[in-house]
Amino acid sequence: MTATASRTGRTGRTGHGGRAERFARPVLLAFLLAAAVDLAGLIAGAETVHLVAKPLLMPLLAGYAALSGGPRLLVAALLFGWGGDVFLLADNDLAFLVGMGSFAVGHVCYLTLFGRDRARAPLATGAGYALVLVVFLVLIWPDLPADLRIPLTGYSLLLTAVAWRAGVLGRYAAAGGALFLVSDALIATGIADWPQAPAPDFWVMLTYIAAQALLTLGVLTAAPGRGTGRTGAYGEGSTSG
């Protein structure tokens, strides 16, 4: 390749990336609007609003991540989260298990992405998460339906690993991982028929939306060279590349 052709190729890629990034902010604003509408619908008890708004959330956030040059694994994690969102709209055990499976695949994507970072997650944080998980499972186990105990335990272990490992990307991702645990713990307490706060679905969705948004922000703002940013060691996995 000649020097001129090389410069032209780089310019073309930069121009394409710039055009894509110009659409990122409107897509992010659409995500925030959909989130506000969904949460408002839950507060108002407008089930139809929730049924329309919830399936829009993760595709919009995934679109923002892709347009911002995020890694493919991040986009995949968000889209598997969307699959979980859609299945959990159906009120039956089979749909719940399929939705949980979709979320689990998304968590594997997150774990794989975080595993590209060479930094070690603090063992003390991992021990704290493990202790909380064990105590929670011991307390809730008798109240869970028998056929959901094992799947929920496996899923909880996976999500706890994600929350712990997310910390390697900084405070945004760490907060996102922790909020994901809170959101799913609220779902589990509902399944176990534990006492709930007013408007329990609102709190589930608020913590879930914040979790996914913070995980996305954590990945997109990771320092260069940490393995997940647009200019990091794994920049070749970017959807904009």
Side-chain angles (χ1 to χ4, degrees), residues 20-231:
E21 289 188 1
R22 282 200 296 271
F23 291 104
R25 179 165 294 187
V27 173
L28 176 61
L29 292 175
F31 163 74
L32 294 174
L33 177 61
V37 169
D38 185 45
L39 294 173
L42 290 171
I43 286 290
E47 183 65 20
T48 301
V49 173
H50 177 60
L51 291 174
V52 172
K54 184 181 181 183
L56 299 176
L57 295 171
M58 290 307 107
L60 287 170
L61 188 56
Y64 168 70
L67 291 168
S68 299
R72 292 189 180 94
L73 280 171
L74 171 61
V75 176
L78 294 170
L79 291 179
F80 278 112
W82 169 69
D85 289 343
V86 171
F87 279 107
L88 291 183
L89 286 173
D91 189 17
N92 62 74
D93 288 348
L94 178 59
F96 177 81
L97 288 172
V98 174
M100 187 168 60
S102 187
F103 273 120
V105 176
H107 293 322
V108 171
C109 292
Y110 274 131
L111 269 182
T112 304
L113 182 60
F114 300 155
R116 290 176 170 178
D117 195 293
R118 296 183 179 88
R120 293 184 178 181
L123 291 178
T125 303
Y129 271 130
L131 178 61
V132 170
L133 175 64
V134 169
V135 171
F136 181 72
L137 288 175
V138 167
L139 291 175
I140 204 170
W141 185 272
D143 299 322
L144 290 173
D147 59 334
L148 292 181
R149 288 173 179 169
I150 299 302
L152 278 172
T153 299
Y155 176 80
S156 298
L157 287 168
L158 179 59
L159 179 53
T160 301
V162 170
W164 172 51
R165 188 63 191 171
V168 300
L169 295 187
R171 63 183 183 275
Y172 294 127
L179 283 173
F180 221 133
L181 276 176
V182 172
S183 181
D184 280 41
L186 292 173
I187 294 175
T189 59
I191 294 171
D193 288 328
W194 283 15
Q196 301 289 296
D201 290 342
F202 169 83
W203 298 108
V204 169
M205 286 304 299
L206 177 64
T207 50
Y208 168 68
I209 292 169
Q212 292 280 38
L214 285 168
L215 285 169
T216 300
L217 180 62
V219 172
L220 293 178
T221 59
R226 293 193 67 86
T228 54
R230 282 170 287 177
T231 57

